[in-house]
Structures are given as C-alpha cells and as structure tokens.
C-alpha cells in the first residue's frame, strides 16, 4: 500500500480537550482503586451493570436542569438521536424502568461519563471521567438504604486509605427553610444554587447574589442566612431545627428532620455518626434529588462549632457525592421506584493517591513485569533463535512465563541455551540471586560463579515452575 | 421537588440500536473473558493503555477506506470536532506518534468501539462492541512479532477453551497476484474486496462481481481465480506460489513469500504451524494493513486440500483478526514505527461461551453472592434492628461479609440475635449445612437441631472469619 501522509503533524496530535490517555503504572493504580471500590460494593450485595456510552437523547434531557447544556450530543446521521451519558444515574433509572421484574436491586457501575465543562485537569477535573456508582433501588424501611450508602462511603474510603468527612443535608429541609423565609416556589432552585456556594465564597457574597441576582428582599436573605450558615454534629443540628416552631410547621422541613432523626440512629448503630457533618448550605446541583443529599470531602471541618467555620476546608472539591432520588425512575414509566445513590469521583481519588505514590525513575514508562527470559549462551539475542522459540512456544507455554525478546529490567529466571549443553541434552538455568539458585543438582562451583545450574532439558519445565512457585511465595525476589 | 412526567413511556425506553445493557451473570462471564485475555497479554509483556472514547475527527478520517461512513460523529457544539473511535488501532497509533520516547512497546487495550453498521445481535454483531487488542510496535527482526501475535492468538483461545483455525494471507502477495493478473493500480483495493467474499459466496459470484462491477476482463478474472481459490498448509502453499515464475518476478509477491517463509519457520518452532491455514482469498477490509493479514474462525476447514472447500466453514464470522500495519504511525508524524496487531471480537466470543453455559433458573437475574446474614431470632426482619446494625457496621465490617437486609438465595452463615442470648453476652451462629456446623463449643444437640451454635459475642468475628476461610478453601459450600 502506498504510504499516505495527512496534514496532521505532531503539533496537532492530542487527545480531545479535557481527556487523557492512561498507560502502565497509571492503569495499575486505576485498577487498584476500582478493585477496592468494587470489593466494598460486592460486600454490600452490589451487582454490576454496564450500559451503552450513549443513550436516546430524550432519555437524558430535562433531568439535569441548568447542567443540560453540558451534555455532548452525537451528530444526526440518520436514525435515532443520541447523546453521551452525563452520569450513570439516568442510565440506571432507564434500565430499572425497563426491567419490570426488578423491584429491589443494589447495582454498581464503574464507567466513564461526559461533561462539556471547563476542565481543570491538575485538580482532577475532566470532560471524560470515571464515575463509580452504587445505587440501592426499591422500597425499604425509611432511611435504611440511606444509612447503608453512607456506610459504604465510609468503608470505601477506609479501603482506599483516605480520611474523609461526609457533609450532608436534606433537600426538603432546605426547601422548607427557603419557603418559610419567604422565597417563592419558582425561585427555590436558583436560590438553592446560590446557597450551595457557601463552601467556596463568603456569606456576604452569597447574600449579595440572592438579593441582586435572584431578586430576594434583604430580610428574606437574612432569614435564610440565619439557617444555612449553621453546620455541625447531626444531633445538635436536629435540636436546633426542631427548636424553630415556624420551620416545624412546614411539611417538607418537618419530614426531612424526621428522616434525618431516624438516619442518625442508624449511623450511630453503624458507629459512623462521627464521620458525618450536617451542613444546611449544601444543595447539590442535580435536579433529581428528593431527600438526603451529601458530598464527601477530604478535609476535616471544625465539628465542634455550629457556626460558620471554613478554615480547614480544602479546595480539591468533593471526592464522592450522592443522595436520594425517589422520582426519577417514575419519570420513565408508571412504576414508583425510590432510589439512593453514591457516586465516587475517580479522577480526584486518583489524584490524591497518585500524589502519595513514591515517584520512580521513568515514571509510568517502566516496563512490564518479567518472570523469565530465554537467551543463547554468550547473551546473544539472535543466537539459537529457533531453539529458543521452541522453548517459548511449547515447553514453557505456561501462565506467567514471559516470552519476549528484550526483557525490560531485571529478570528473576534466565534459561541459557548453549550448543554444547543442548548437544548433551542439557540447558543452563540461572536465578537472579545466586544464594537462591538452588535448582536440583546445582554444584557449589556453579552457584559461586553465578553462571546458573546445568539441568537436563527434560526437567526444565518442572524446575522453572518450582522456582516460580518459590518466587511467588516470597522466597525468591 | 415536583414530580415531572415526560413523554417517555416504557414503549420508547430502549438502548440505542445495536447496543445492549450488561448485568449480573453477563458481567461475570464478560470479566472472565477479559481476565483470560489480559492474563495472556501480560505474559507476553503487554502493558495496558486506555484512550478517550472519542478522538479529534481528523485523526480518524482517511484511515478506514470505504468504512469511514460507519464512523459516529459528535455534534459540533463549538470547539474541537470529534468522532467516536472506530477501532483501538488508530488511537494506539496516535498515542505512539505522541510518545517520541517510546520505540518498542507491547500494549493491550480492552474497550468499546463504535460502528454504524447493520447490527445482527443474535450473532454477536453490535454497533457498540468491545475490542480486545494486543499490538507490538517497533523495529524487531522480521516477522518475529508477527509470530508472537499468532502465538498469543493460540494461547488466548486455548485459555478460553475455543478450538480455532487461523486463516492468514499477506497483503503484498495478494497485491502482487492482482498486479500480475493485470489489475490496474486503482482497482487493486476494490478487487481485493470482491476476492475477500470468497469465504461467503461462490467463485462464480465473485467472478461476476469482478467483471460486471469492477470492470475486469474475463481473462484477468480467471487468472486471479487460478490463484485465490487456493488455500491450505503454509509450506505447500508457499511451494505453489514459488513455482510461478511470473509471480516471483513481482517485487511485492516475492517479499511477501519470503516473509511468510520466515514466519512459518517460527510458527513451527512455536509448534503452532498446524493451527494455521493459508488462504489467498483473504483480504480484510481495513486500508492500513501492509503485510501479514489474518482472521480466526471457530470452524476447522479441510486442511488437506489446496482446492476450494468450504463445507466446514461456519457462519459466525471471525472471532479475532489482525495483521501488520507498518505505515499508520508514520502518517501522524515523522517517525516510522512498524506494528502488528491482533484484535479479539469479544461479543462473538461471549456468544460462543454463553451458549455453552448451563442456563440457570432466573438467568442473569440471580442475586448477588452472600456470605453472611444477620437476623433477629424468630427470623423477623425488623427485630433488633439497631443491634443487628451494630454488628454489620462495626464488628463484622470485613471484606466478603455481606450486609444486606434480604439475602437473595441461600446464605452459608447466619448470625442470629435473640434478646436472651444478647443479655447473656452470646449470639447464635448457624451454618447452612449442619454437618459442617462445627463452630467451637457446638453441642451435639445444637448440631442436630441445626439451630446453630451459641458462642460468646466477643468471639463472633474470629469465629465467622474461621468459617469463611473454611468455606473459601472448599470445606464449606
């Protein structure tokens, strides 16, 4: 075929904005994280689901509020109209709605999602990124699944070795606060968004946004501030809320407080109540949440005070988040299936764990792991090629035996083929550390010279397997 | 939040055409296949690469010939223009071209690719499907990587328990045959496509297509037929080709024959030459191949004859394919990096293995695996809830201990909490098979009644772990 040359040069070669390649050690760390998470998920009865990377566009739209503009669309090339998935929750709700025989299920899903957001890749913020989701769907006793979701969060970050705080709130409590303060229905969601910024900007700025941009009266804004600047221990916060009789007359707030009151008793039984921090300003962007909402951060905020205190918060953003969404599945059919979810932000977790990892020479370019190499005597790479291949291809075709021509790095076991030895029906077997070169029949001289051990070639496979077993058990390094 | 209702009903709920969801046992089998393949890949020094699901459109276009029309495009939403990846080879070539410090690498990649093809899902043909690719890139001694790729194929299907035949050809031999027969340069690729259909349709049909659609003279078509209807043992076929002096004067054919001659000696050394079947009609669609091309089928064609014989061919299509592509990386920059690849068609492999699997009641809906359940005495689900939670959340928070409220299926170990036992500092431990209910301190009466064993609650974690260890080692089922 003729060699064609396109206009592309190495300058224009790149991955799409906000995306990246993964290779070598990066993939290894990624797998370790996935394994830690799926291990916890499976302990909690999670079954894995996979869905297509795109969905019918109608299924995605209207579920994300303002964020819908961040959805990637596929071109109309005739036929159905698609968009890339924005999260794993909507595909899960679509799946549940299709499976009328599934009434209760715990499913997990680890896959990439897509958002046309402003990327900040050094802080682990991408346009193509992994979500690792666990959802409990179906009717259960109130807040028991919510408590299990928070237990899963705690166990997962324990497995990952990351110290976290769970910030939680209840959407109906927040809605009730805004209603009681006098915010009209149609402004509840926009005002929530303003309140949600309290973890990043000062109260004065949030207050100004509510008054100037959302058109609230000063007194309304101040009443909201009297609530949402409070945060702290769940029991203490619940007492604070219950003490406000006007708030307790609001149906939404009252049910939210009752739910959290039940939830905290379960969290105490699980012995994880001390990981939880009740923050009335937490709103979360997604439209579909209906009850508990939470996000998980690495910092440890001051838990002793119920007043505003943000000195210890970090700027990494949340590394997991979730909440209850009871109505999403119902939007796709006639079945009401209440759900609660947690979603782990893989890239941010990766960023934290990668920063801890001792950086090796060569970084992610380090070679593959090699157990065994087969060379010709004198170390020539091109000597006795067919004979060496015969060993690779046949006798030594065993899992974990390496067959490659230039081994990267130090190889623990080397088989050396020489014309004289082969003629006598022998091969030479050399182990990287001569003190462990204890192949059957080794002579002292052989060991001292570290030239390996001569063994009958018919014993090679048995002997190599013995050495590899030793190696795996830690005797040979 | 108000419950909104969209126009969607369960009728319009579906996955995009040619795509599917995966759940439960399906995901398990999928993982087993991925593990078998990646195990073989890693034995051959493969390092895993991950790339974004879409690429800059310019990078994809012009690499696939006629097939380019099957590429999914993303909508132009401002900024860069993207398309979904069509295979894993072009993203790999793009990656290598970007990594100027990588001169030799064996990489594997298991991920979904996208083709707007006519789906035939019962036969494992999808629009979103997995490819499992292993590529060797860099300068090596001639055909040594090609031989290793075929060795990997053999090992992988051995690991999967699927009997296969490798059909191979060499693009330059086929190009030479067509040139020698008198096909003009610009018709070489279209005529190749016609020839490639010989495994599905009769020679007469292929001949008619070449004459009527591609405009070849009768004599040219017949001369092509004299070559491409031959297939069989590599050594025999090479002798047949070498005996044609006109063909051997063609530079392309001659180099192709020399390469395959070297390759067969390596395949013999690997003891896999008998898996290989040389088929001069094999052309493969992709434009980027430059040398060896092969595809792997489950059928065992008649290998004794060099004449046309298709009685034993199956209609499943190929389950793996690949070949040498020496110029693709060079198209992205100034570096010449020869490569050879194998791509496993996961969905077809899955279809074969899934058909073999004994079908269980409930199919893929069977529940999660559960090691342990914690219930209140009397089996009440809502009894002693906080006490049971305290065990779930704290003492028994161990990997592989299940925490869920209604265990699906039979649970090997059950912890029973009763008010009397708890008051005395005890719990009851029950193992599914009473003959193995050998917890320390069990009385004969306990065992006989299969009501479990009373043990001090402080010993619970130790005892449960002991039983689980027994279970994992196969003593307990």
């Amino acid at each position: 075929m003729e060699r064609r040359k396109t206009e592309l040069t190495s300058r224009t070669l790149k991955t799409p904005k906000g995306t990246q390649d993964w290779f070598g050690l990066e993939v290894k760390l990624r797998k370790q994280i996935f394994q830690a998470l799926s291990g916890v998920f499976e302990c909690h009865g999670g079954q894995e689901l996979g869905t297509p990377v795109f969905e019918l566009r109608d299924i995605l739209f209207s579920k994300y509020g303002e964020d819908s503009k961040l959805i990637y669309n596929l071109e109309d090339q005739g036929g159905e109209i698609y968009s890339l998935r924005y999260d794993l929750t909507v595909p899960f709700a679509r799946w549940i709605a299709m499976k009328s025989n599934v009434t209760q299920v715990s499913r997990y899903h680890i896959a990439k999602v897509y958002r046309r957001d402003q990327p900040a890749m050094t802080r682990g913020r991408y346009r193509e990124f992994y979500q690792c989701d666990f959802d409990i769907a179906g009717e259960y006793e109130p807040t028991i699944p919510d408590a299990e979701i928070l237990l899963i969060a705690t166990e997962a970050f324990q497995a990952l070795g990351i110290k976290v705080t769970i910030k939680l709130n209840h959407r109906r409590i927040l809605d009730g606060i805004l209603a009681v303060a006098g915010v009209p229905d149609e402004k509840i969601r926009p005002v929530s968004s303003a309140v949600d910024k309290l973890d990043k900007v000062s109260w004065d700025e949030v207050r100004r946004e509510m008054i100037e941009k959302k058109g609230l009266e000063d007194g309304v804004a101040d009443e909201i501030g009297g609530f949402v600047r409070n945060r702290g221990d769940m029991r203490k916060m619940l007492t604070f809320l219950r003490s406000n009789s006007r708030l307790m007359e609001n149906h939404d707030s009252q049910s939210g407080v009752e739910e959290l009151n039940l939830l905290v008793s379960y969290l105490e039984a699980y012995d994880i109540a001390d990981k939880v921090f009740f923050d009335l300003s937490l709103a979360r962007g997604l439209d579909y949440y209906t009850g508990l909402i939470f996000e998980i951060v690495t910092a440890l905020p001051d838990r002793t005070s119920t007043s505003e205190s943000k000195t210890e918060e970090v700027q990494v953003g949340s590394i997991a988040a979730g909440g209850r969404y009871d109505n999403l599945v119902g939007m796709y059919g006639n079945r009401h299936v209440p759900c609660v979810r947690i979603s782990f932000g893989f890239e941010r977790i990766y960023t934290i764990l990668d920063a801890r990892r001792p950086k090796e020479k060569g970084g992610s370019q380090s070679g593959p792991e090699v157990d065994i190499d087969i060379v010709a005597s004198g170390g020539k790479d091109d000597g006795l090629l067919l004979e060496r291949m015969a060993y690779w291809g046949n006798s030594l075709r065993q899992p974990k035996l390496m067959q490659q021509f230039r081994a990267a790095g130090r190889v623990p076991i080397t088989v050396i083929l020489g014309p004289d030895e082969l003629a006598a029906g022998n091969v030479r077997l050399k182990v990287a550390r001569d003190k462990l070169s204890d192949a059957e029949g080794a002579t002292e001289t052989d060991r001292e010279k570290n030239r390996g051990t001569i063994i009958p070639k018919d014993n090679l496979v048995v002997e190599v397997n013995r050495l590899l077993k030793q190696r795996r058990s830690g005797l040979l390094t």
Side-chain angles (χ1 to χ4, degrees), chain A:
Chain A
M1 198 182 81
E2 81 280 23
R3 190 184 304 187
R4 288 178 306 190
K5 193 87 181 176
T6 71
E7 297 298 301
L8 289 162
T9 67
S10 41
R11 270 181 303 113
T12 56
L13 279 183
K14 60 187 286 291
T15 58
K17 185 177 179 185
T19 72
Q20 63 175 344
D21 296 321
W22 295 83
F23 187 65
L25 292 179
E26 298 162 0
V27 180
K28 267 200 188 147
L29 179 55
R30 180 174 81 178
K31 275 192 184 162
Q32 284 165 5
I33 296 171
F34 289 166
Q35 271 164 14
L37 291 175
S38 55
V40 172
F41 295 161
E42 288 179 7
C43 281
H44 286 268
Q47 295 181 270
E48 194 169 353
L49 175 69
T51 68
V53 79
F54 46 79
E55 295 276 346
L56 291 176
R57 192 171 301 167
D58 285 347
I59 288 172
L60 264 74
F61 267 74
S62 85
K63 307 302 177 299
Y64 301 108
E66 276 186 33
D67 290 345
S68 292
K69 63 179 187 296
L70 304 182
I71 293 175
Y72 281 97
N73 292 325
L74 265 72
E75 200 175 279
D76 179 1
Q77 295 173 286
E80 297 168 343
I81 305 295
Y82 307 124
S83 293
L84 296 189
R85 63 184 167 213
Y86 181 85
D87 61 17
L88 303 174
T89 312
V90 164
F92 173 58
R94 186 266 303 152
W95 176 82
I96 287 264
M98 283 168 67
K99 294 270 174 191
S100 52
N101 59 335
V102 175
T103 52
Q104 287 187 331
V105 68
S106 296
R107 89 84 181 75
Y108 73 95
H109 192 178
I110 297 179
K112 287 172 173 177
V113 301
Y114 299 88
R115 298 184 184 180
R116 297 179 57 252
D117 217 335
Q118 258 331 300
M121 292 162 66
T122 49
R123 280 163 45 217
R125 186 169 167 158
Y126 294 86
R127 288 183 153 196
E128 176 188 60
F129 58 99
Y130 281 97
Q131 282 193 337
C132 310
D133 277 26
F134 187 98
D135 295 57
I136 303 174
E139 302 276 0
Y140 293 87
E141 294 297 307
T143 81
I144 283 182
D146 310 59
E148 191 175 8
I149 286 285
L150 298 179
L151 178 60
I152 288 169
T154 314
E155 289 177 7
F157 285 110
Q158 203 174 331
L160 293 167
I162 299 177
K163 283 212 164 78
V164 295
T165 296
I166 301 170
K167 287 161 61 176
L168 66 74
N169 196 3
H170 196 289
R171 186 153 266 186
R172 296 182 69 188
I173 296 178
L174 183 57
D175 286 357
I177 286 171
L178 299 184
V180 165
V183 177
D185 270 7
E186 70 279 9
K187 285 189 182 167
I188 295 245
R189 204 54 65 234
V191 171
S192 290
S193 299
V195 166
D196 196 44
K197 295 178 185 159
L198 252 184
D199 64 338
K200 297 201 186 69
V201 302
S202 71
W203 165 245
D204 286 345
E205 278 179 75
V206 170
R207 185 175 181 278
R208 199 177 315 125
E209 179 176 342
M210 292 199 290
I211 294 166
E212 292 174 9
K213 292 197 182 151
K214 316 287 176 192
L216 296 192
E217 316 238 325
D218 286 22
V220 173
D222 289 335
E223 180 155 8
I224 294 171
F227 285 105
V228 300
R229 294 164 75 191
N230 285 290
R231 51 177 72 183
D233 175 80
M234 277 185 82
R235 289 274 180 211
K236 201 182 285 185
M237 289 289 290
L238 288 168
T239 306
F240 164 75
L241 291 171
R242 263 193 301 246
S243 72
N244 189 308
S245 56
R246 270 181 67 220
L247 190 66
M248 285 305 98
E249 281 162 20
N250 177 284
H251 177 63
D252 279 332
S253 286
Q254 198 212 352
S255 344
V257 167
E258 270 169 27
E259 263 189 43
L260 291 191
N261 200 47
L262 194 57
L263 180 68
V264 72
S265 69
Y266 297 150
L267 299 183
E268 283 162 356
Y270 281 152
D271 198 19
I272 58 169
D274 61 332
K275 314 269 187 221
V276 172
F277 185 76
F278 190 176
D279 182 343
L280 281 170
S281 75
L282 183 74
R284 305 286 312 147
L286 294 170
D287 265 19
Y288 50 60
Y289 287 121
T290 54
L292 171 75
I293 43 180
F294 64 88
E295 68 179 31
I296 297 176
V297 293
T298 47
L300 296 167
D302 180 4
R303 303 190 63 263
T304 53
S305 151
T306 53
S307 68
E308 197 172 5
S309 100
K310 33 175 70 72
T311 46
E312 294 190 62
E313 303 253 342
V314 273
Q315 299 306 309
V316 199
S318 64
I319 54 176
R324 174 158 286 283
Y325 56 104
D326 284 348
N327 300 335
L328 188 63
V329 177
M331 288 164 78
Y332 295 115
N334 297 313
R335 274 201 313 156
H336 178 66
V337 183
C339 300
V340 60
R341 76 186 279 251
I342 181 165
S343 181
F344 292 84
F346 163 76
E347 274 74 7
R348 293 175 183 188
I349 292 170
Y350 181 94
T351 302
I352 293 167
L353 295 181
D354 186 49
R356 285 187 195 167
R357 197 168 49 161
K359 289 291 175 265
E360 290 157 60
K361 236 181 10 177
S364 64
Q365 299 307 326
S366 81
E369 275 167 35
V370 174
D371 278 341
I372 188 164
D373 196 15
I374 302 171
V375 299
S377 61
K380 279 194 298 173
D381 267 335
D382 53 351
L384 294 169
L385 183 57
L386 292 179
E387 290 77 4
R388 283 154 60 212
M389 280 186 162
Y391 280 96
W392 282 313
N394 200 345
S395 330
L396 293 180
R397 195 184 304 160
Q398 305 284 339
K400 293 289 161 205
L401 298 191
M402 254 304 296
Q403 299 133 353
Q404 72 163 27
F405 290 77
R406 292 171 189 280
R410 200 167 56 95
V411 182
I413 297 169
T414 307
V415 179
I416 304 165
L417 306 186
D420 297 347
E421 286 92 341
L422 282 176
N426 293 325
V427 294
R428 199 174 279 274
L429 194 58
K430 188 176 147 182
V431 177
R433 294 202 173 173
D434 68 57
K435 65 174 184 224
L436 288 157
S437 170
D438 57 355
E440 306 280 353
T443 66
E444 277 308 310
T445 326
D446 278 334
R447 287 204 187 105
E448 278 167 27
K449 288 185 180 167
N450 193 20
R451 292 184 55 233
T453 312
I454 288 177
I455 62 166
K457 63 182 180 181
D458 293 344
N459 294 357
L460 180 63
V461 175
V462 171
E463 187 54 29
V464 163
N465 281 331
R466 198 178 66 78
L467 290 169
L468 285 177
K469 202 171 285 172
Q470 275 193 352
R471 184 178 179 233
R472 273 178 226 125
S473 67
L475 288 172
L476 217 60
T477 50

